[in-house]
């Protein structure tokens, strides 16, 4: 994993951990539903940011190598990217 992306991903994960603890407390305390939903949506946005970092790392490392190899490796890279795209659009 690229060092800078790894650092940023781990930072994002720490933020997500805090957000999840906050969400858990909100539910335990039976906070106002809209406040809980707002926190949940913020977590989803943070997960999206984490996913973006992971995709960037994958493109800059594995996909580049797979494309340079050509043939079946290139086709496998394309299939992976299509799968990620489809997963991200089925929410």
């Amino acid at each position: 994993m690229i060092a800078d992306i790894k650092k940023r991903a781990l930072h994002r994960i720490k933020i997500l951990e805090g957000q999840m603890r906050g969400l858990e407390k909100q539910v335990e305390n039976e906070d106002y539903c809209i406040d809980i939903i707002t926190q949940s949506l913020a977590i989803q946005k943070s997960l999206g940011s984490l996913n973006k970092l992971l995709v960037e790392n994958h493109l800059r490392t594995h996909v580049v190598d797979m494309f340079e190899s050509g043939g079946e490796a290139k086709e496998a890279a394309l299939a992976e990217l299509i799968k990620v795209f489809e997963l991200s659009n089925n929410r």
Side-chain angles (χ1 to χ4, degrees):
M1 187 169 241
I2 298 170
D4 178 59
I5 293 175
K6 180 178 181 178
K7 180 181 174 184
R8 290 167 40 211
L10 289 170
H11 177 72
R12 175 61 48 203
I13 290 167
K14 296 291 183 190
I15 291 170
L16 278 157
E17 288 173 340
Q19 288 175 313
M20 288 298 294
R21 284 191 300 274
L23 181 63
E24 181 180 25
K25 286 180 185 177
Q26 286 180 314
V27 171
E28 286 174 351
N29 296 335
E30 298 181 19
D31 286 0
Y32 188 61
C33 294
I34 297 301
D35 294 339
I36 296 171
I37 292 167
T38 299
Q39 180 70 1
S40 175
L41 292 170
I43 292 167
Q44 290 176 45
K45 187 168 183 165
S46 290
L47 281 169
S49 295
L50 175 61
N51 287 336
K52 182 180 173 185
L53 287 171
L54 297 174
V55 168
E56 178 183 353
N57 185 79
H58 189 64
L59 290 171
R60 292 183 182 277
T61 58
H62 300 97
V63 172
V64 169
D65 293 341
M66 293 168 88
F67 264 72
E68 287 175 354
S69 295
E72 288 182 25
K74 181 179 177 180
E75 291 302 316
L78 290 171
E80 287 177 352
L81 294 174
I82 291 167
K83 181 178 178 182
V84 169
F85 178 77
E86 288 172 346
L87 287 171
S88 71
N89 285 320
N90 286 335
R91 302 195 269 150

